[in-house]
Amino acid sequence: MLLAKLMLDSKHTVILTGAGMSTESGLPDFRSVQTGLWQQKDPQRLASTHALQYHREDFISFYQYRIRTLRQCQPHAGHRILADWEARGLIQTVITQNVDGFHQQAGSRKVIELHGSLRTVRCARCNQSDESEAYLDDTFSCTCGGFLRPSVVLFGEALPAEAVEQAWRAAEQAKLFIVLGSSLQVSPANQLPLIAKRNGAQLVIVNLEPTELDEWADLVIQNRKIGDVLAETDRELERRI
């Protein structure tokens, strides 16, 4: 299998994961929510700084839904394979656009979260952090009196500068850059594969549907579950090592 060979030949492998990695755990993409509270409402508007300030009740309901749904899902085999590969030195960094914390839950340690985490909430005033279960307990106020909000990047906010800088550096250092389940439509994450490629890395894109960067890739795998691709690659690695 070519992916296994590319991994064995690489001295520095970086992974970028998108929503497709999470949906295989049964976690819905919030943008596609169509029923109940979300009928005729725009989830992007509900996940924005505008909603935080002017539509707080809907904002809270939206994130209670997301946190509750997250608690009903678990990392899948693909997450655990990536964690094992990290422990074995086969991959060096996981960059993720996801906010579910599944990589860390599966055992990955070197994870860069570009869009923050839904696992915690933080005070909009003093920045103190707490577990996101607070939202499920209808706790929305910090001890300082500030409003508790999920520790995710909202529409209208910039990505955390430190995470972006770390992701850029990882892409520049990569000898093999593997995209898993990202449509590569969201900036700046969609620039990372190009940065890696321009610095001499080989590029692999695993996604159900085509992406705009497929023409840059050395290997494109479509119409397959990420977990299946990783499991197959893992068996081939075991056979070769």
Side-chain angles (χ1 to χ4, degrees):
M1 185 179 183
L2 180 55
L3 180 53
K5 182 181 185 304
L6 291 173
M7 289 188 63
L8 289 174
D9 291 343
S10 171
K11 291 182 171 59
H12 195 103
T13 298
V14 175
I15 308 290
L16 170 66
T17 64
M21 189 76 186
S22 296
T23 55
E24 290 188 21
S25 286
L27 192 66
D29 180 352
F30 78 89
R31 293 179 180 87
S32 63
V33 176
Q34 298 294 330
T35 59
L37 178 64
W38 320 122
Q39 283 186 339
Q40 299 179 344
K41 290 193 177 184
D42 181 2
Q44 293 191 13
R45 186 182 70 84
L46 297 178
S48 66
T49 54
H50 182 83
L52 173 64
Q53 186 171 359
Y54 298 107
H55 303 283
R56 188 159 291 182
E57 185 174 331
D58 286 345
F59 179 90
I60 288 172
S61 296
F62 180 68
Y63 279 103
Q64 283 182 320
Y65 166 83
R66 293 200 69 194
I67 294 167
R68 191 177 300 112
T69 302
L70 176 60
R71 292 301 183 264
Q72 296 169 352
C73 299
Q74 298 291 328
H76 59 75
H79 290 101
R80 292 188 288 273
I81 289 171
L82 292 181
D84 179 61
W85 287 353
E86 180 192 299
R88 293 160 59 188
L90 291 169
I91 63 175
Q92 278 60 56
T93 307
V94 173
I95 306 168
T96 186
Q97 297 172 272
N98 301 327
V99 297
D100 48 53
F102 285 157
H103 287 298
Q104 294 93 324
Q105 193 176 347
S108 291
R109 296 178 179 274
K110 300 173 184 177
V111 182
I112 301 170
E113 294 178 312
L114 288 177
H115 295 163
S117 175
L118 201 58
R119 295 280 172 179
T120 61
V121 294
R122 62 179 175 83
C123 177
R125 178 185 295 173
C126 73
N127 215 37
Q128 181 175 324
S129 181
D130 197 358
E131 296 297 318
S132 60
E133 279 83 357
Y135 256 47
L136 302 184
D137 295 333
D138 292 332
T139 301
F140 312 116
S141 295
C142 177
T143 53
C144 76
F147 178 67
L148 292 176
R149 47 148 303 171
S151 302
V152 298
V153 178
L154 303 176
F155 291 98
E157 291 182 325
L159 270 61
E162 183 177 357
V164 172
E165 182 179 346
Q166 290 175 349
W168 241 249
R169 194 180 312 123
E172 290 173 341
Q173 294 172 344
K175 300 303 180 185
L176 174 62
F177 195 95
I178 304 174
V179 178
L180 300 175
S182 176
S183 62
L184 298 175
Q185 295 179 346
V186 178
S187 181
N190 61 358
Q191 298 302 305
L192 296 173
L194 297 178
I195 291 171
K197 190 70 177 174
R198 288 166 182 161
N199 280 271
Q202 292 187 295
L203 174 61
V204 176
I205 299 177
V206 183
N207 197 53
L208 283 177
E209 299 176 348
T211 78
E212 293 183 0
L213 300 189
D214 287 353
E215 61 184 283
W216 289 78
D218 299 277
L219 173 63
V220 176
I221 300 174
Q222 296 172 359
N223 300 314
R224 294 195 60 191
K225 288 186 175 181
I226 296 168
D228 291 344
V229 172
L230 295 182
E232 181 179 330
T233 304
D234 192 51
R235 289 192 295 270
E236 183 66 16
L237 289 170
E238 290 287 352
R239 188 182 70 82
R240 295 191 182 203
I241 294 177

